[in-house]
Amino acid sequence: MADSIPTSTATGPSMTALATEIATLGVPDSTEEPLPEEEEKVSAQALLILVSLLIMALLTSYYLQRWRIRTVHETVLSIFAGMAVGLVLRFSTGHYIKRMVTFDHTVFFNMLLPPIILNCGYGLQKTQVGRNLVPVLTFAFLGTAISAVVIGVLVQIYSWTGIERIEFSLLDSLILGTILSATDPVTILAVFEQLKVEPKLFSIIFGETVFNDAVAIVLFVTLSGLRAAGREFTLAAVPGMLGSFMFVFSMSLLVGVGMGVMVSLMCKHTRLYEYPSIEASLVLLISYQSYLFANAIELSGIVSLLFCAATTRQYAYKSLSKKSKRATRYLFHLLSGLAENFVFIYLGISLFTAEDVKLKPVFIVFVMVATCISRYSAIFPLARVLNAVFKYRHPSAPSSAQPVTHEEQTMLFWAGLRGAVAVALASEVSGENGALLRTTVLCVVVLSVTIFGGTTPQVVQKLGIRTGVGQPDSSDDDDGEDGPDGEAPRLSSVLWASSNMPVRAPAGDDACRALPALSTDGSFSALPPLPAPTNTAPF
């Protein structure tokens, strides 16, 4: 074999000459890592691409909201922009830069997911979610389990048919089911916030998706533990899985609540309010620490962070200084928005820059259909049970007072698009079917965000869901003279203050002093001057 390899350069350049030519042109070899002195430059180029796309996404979001364009959402445009850049990178750059911009599950779980969960827990509207706690927990726990089982069974049936020569064990099929049972309706909730959809529907979808991600991840970890131990899924293993699931979930909850209580006690019994920057930083870092600590001891970081943030908002928020209250709310919201936009760009680029791509078009379409069937099975039957129980307990109640109306059920079904959590979980799967599973999940996520996320405004209008309502403001958002966003005081506060102030008739020219009045645009203007009183004696 060695003698058959041509060594002459008559028919083409030698490997040495080719390498010299590449080095001369400055094009990095796609099979080699960059030299240490070039690594910083390549890293800067990769980050420049991602940051530039993020800036474009934010500017696009600004103009879409400024011009009130509802037909398309910025998350859909972010995915397509990432796909376009990923397609260019696939054929124009080296291996290292493509690997840096490709979706990395460690970056997602450790850097991008925590801000999103922290903002969800910190902004959890306890009043609305509490009123709809039964449907939220029903869809989050039972709905996620039903969705995972339905997808797993359908994929196993497809494997038995032998189409495209795909062979999945029952355990592999159920793992794929748990991955795709994690919903991520960031696009849906963003559209809801812009349209100011009624609080009840918003709170149900918000609460369901927050708990859904936690449940799906714990189920995935449980099934992956069976696979790592070399065991197959059987009905006899179900009790052990349920016990493991309840242990992980409950212990993660306790860790999160414990960290939140620690933050609350620290803020209450110290004078941190005198140093707002330190106070806000500690709230952020200790919450993040609960996430890392839970993951380090093989618990659920999402569950821990979610309940830590909710506990902190419930008990520590009132002890924070005014500056820290504003800083934490706006900082968490800012970090969450950046992470969400970054994730969608990340997904779009990864569709073309992923290295181990194994594309099965028929299987992708089948899994997409199976995902829709599983979402239908997880929403409508459970909603009918909830409504039946409510009707039995309140026979005279009108149909509009049901826990979940038909319009809300349809919107819940439409909100079941898949997102970055599913892609991150798929990235942890290895083995013979690992590449196929990762490619399939990524394609399903892009399709679901494009189809369901892009048509949400039209579906809301078609269903006749109330808009322009908005979410109720928390009464303890801010203390002080200004409103929650730094605007002027509300008229009710001005009237209350004026009605409780001692009144004394002014004398001389001060009698013509203008009084504040609330104009139509919400700002204060001046009334015409009042005539001077005839009696200047004090009251």
Side-chain angles (χ1 to χ4, degrees):
M1 292 296 294
D3 295 337
S4 63
I5 299 177
T7 58
S8 174
T9 59
T11 58
S14 65
M15 293 300 296
T16 304
L18 183 59
T20 304
E21 183 178 356
I22 291 177
T24 303
L25 294 176
V27 178
D29 188 356
S30 61
T31 61
E32 296 291 338
E33 298 292 335
L35 297 175
E37 58 269 17
E38 297 179 355
E39 184 174 356
E40 182 178 356
K41 181 182 71 174
V42 176
S43 302
Q45 293 173 351
L47 291 175
L48 175 64
I49 294 172
L50 295 175
V51 173
S52 300
L53 286 173
L54 185 58
I55 293 174
M56 292 175 57
L58 294 176
L59 289 175
T60 302
S61 175
Y62 164 74
Y63 284 109
L64 290 178
Q65 297 183 44
R66 179 74 175 176
W67 297 336
R68 300 183 183 275
I69 299 176
R70 310 297 188 191
T71 55
V72 65
H73 196 262
E74 60 263 22
T75 55
V76 179
L77 296 179
S78 297
I79 285 184
F80 279 104
M83 291 168 59
V85 173
L87 184 62
V88 173
L89 292 177
R90 186 171 185 85
F91 299 103
S92 61
T93 58
H95 166 77
Y96 187 71
I97 190 171
K98 286 190 293 186
R99 192 179 68 182
M100 286 199 64
V101 299
T102 303
F103 189 88
D104 188 348
H105 68 280
T106 57
V107 173
F108 173 77
F109 276 118
N110 291 327
M111 301 300 297
L112 299 178
L113 184 59
I116 300 174
I117 301 300
L118 177 60
N119 184 61
C120 289
Y122 203 70
L124 195 64
Q125 298 169 355
K126 54 182 180 298
T127 55
Q128 289 296 323
V129 175
R131 293 171 186 171
N132 302 281
L133 188 61
V134 173
V136 165
L137 296 181
T138 301
F139 293 131
F141 285 85
L142 292 179
T144 304
I146 291 174
S147 178
V149 172
V150 170
I151 295 176
V153 171
L154 292 177
V155 169
Q156 187 62 32
I157 294 174
Y158 184 88
S159 176
W160 288 339
T161 60
I163 302 175
E164 294 184 312
R165 297 181 180 179
I166 295 176
E167 296 182 358
F168 275 80
S169 65
L170 181 58
L171 183 58
D172 291 338
S173 301
L174 290 175
I175 288 177
L176 178 58
T178 58
I179 291 173
L180 289 176
S181 64
T183 60
D184 188 20
V186 173
T187 305
I188 303 291
L189 295 178
V191 173
F192 279 10
E193 289 181 351
Q194 293 178 9
L195 298 178
K196 299 185 182 299
V197 175
E198 57 179 349
K200 177 189 174 184
L201 179 60
F202 186 94
S203 63
I204 292 177
I205 294 180
F206 177 83
E208 187 261 345
T209 184
V210 169
F211 289 104
N212 165 276
D213 288 344
V215 173
I217 291 176
V218 175
L219 286 176
F220 172 80
V221 171
T222 304
L223 290 176
S224 298
L226 287 178
R227 183 179 181 184
R231 299 165 56 188
E232 289 294 331
F233 176 81
T234 59
L235 293 178
V238 173
M241 290 176 54
L242 291 176
S244 176
F245 170 81
M246 294 303 299
F247 174 78
V248 172
F249 193 92
S250 59
M251 293 303 297
S252 303
L253 187 150
L254 291 176
V255 169
V257 172
M259 289 285 193
V261 171
M262 183 180 69
V263 174
S264 304
L265 293 175
M266 180 184 65
C267 294
K268 182 178 181 180
H269 296 289
T270 62
R271 303 178 66 89
L272 282 172
Y273 57 83
E274 297 178 356
Y275 310 94
S277 60
I278 298 177
E279 187 180 40
S281 299
L282 286 175
V283 172
L284 170 64
L285 292 176
I286 295 178
S287 300
Y288 185 45
Q289 185 186 42
S290 70
Y291 178 86
L292 298 176
F293 177 75
N295 285 338
I297 60 176
E298 298 184 352
L299 296 177
S300 174
I302 287 184
V303 176
S304 176
L305 180 58
L306 176 66
F307 283 95
C308 177
T311 305
T312 301
R313 179 60 188 266
Q314 176 68 21
Y315 298 106
Y317 189 78
K318 296 179 181 179
S319 301
L320 299 179
S321 63
K322 180 181 175 181
K323 292 183 179 180
S324 295
K325 288 180 179 179
R326 293 184 177 181
T328 52
R329 288 193 298 116
Y330 295 146
L331 176 62
F332 296 167
H333 185 72
L334 172 65
L335 294 177
S336 175
L338 289 175
E340 290 169 358
N341 282 279
F342 196 87
V343 163
F344 285 106
I345 294 171
Y346 221 2
L347 294 178
I349 294 179
S350 300
L351 192 62
F352 290 101
T353 58
E355 299 176 357
D356 52 345
V357 176
K358 192 174 182 180
L359 196 62
K360 299 287 185 179
V362 178
F363 183 63
I364 292 173
V365 174
F366 178 83
V367 172
M368 184 68 190
V369 174
T371 303
C372 296
I373 295 174
S374 69
R375 184 65 178 176
Y376 183 94
S377 304
I379 296 299
F380 289 94
L382 291 177
R384 291 192 185 98
V385 172
L386 290 172
N387 292 338
V389 173
F390 178 81
K391 189 67 176 177
Y392 176 77
R393 298 182 59 183
H394 307 86
S396 60
S399 59
S400 59
Q402 292 177 342
V404 189
T405 62
H406 180 72
E407 292 76 13
E408 292 168 346
Q409 296 173 38
T410 305
M411 200 65 242
L412 275 167
F413 167 79
W414 210 258
L417 52 89
R418 272 55 181 173
V421 174
V423 178
L425 292 178
S427 301
E428 298 185 1
V429 178
S430 58
E432 182 180 355
N433 295 317
L436 173 61
L437 192 146
R438 288 189 291 271
T439 305
T440 302
V441 169
L442 182 58
C443 292
V444 169
V445 167
V446 173
L447 287 174
S448 65
V449 172
T450 304
I451 296 173
F452 293 100
T455 57
T456 298
Q458 292 78 10
V459 174
V460 171
Q461 182 179 6
K462 187 71 174 178
L463 294 175
I465 296 174
R466 289 191 307 142
T467 57
V469 181
Q471 307 303 313
D473 295 329
S474 177
S475 60
D476 60 350
D477 276 350
D478 279 296
D479 299 320
E481 298 177 357
D482 293 340
D485 298 318
E487 71 272 10
R490 296 181 179 178
L491 180 61
S492 58
S493 302
V494 176
L495 294 179
W496 183 90
S498 62
S499 64
N500 289 273
M501 290 176 61
V503 180
R504 182 180 298 272
D509 295 338
D510 292 339
C512 298
R513 184 182 302 165
L515 298 178
L518 188 65
S519 62
T520 56
D521 60 353
S523 60
F524 284 96
S525 60
L527 286 175
L530 296 176
T534 57
N535 182 12
T536 59
F539 290 107

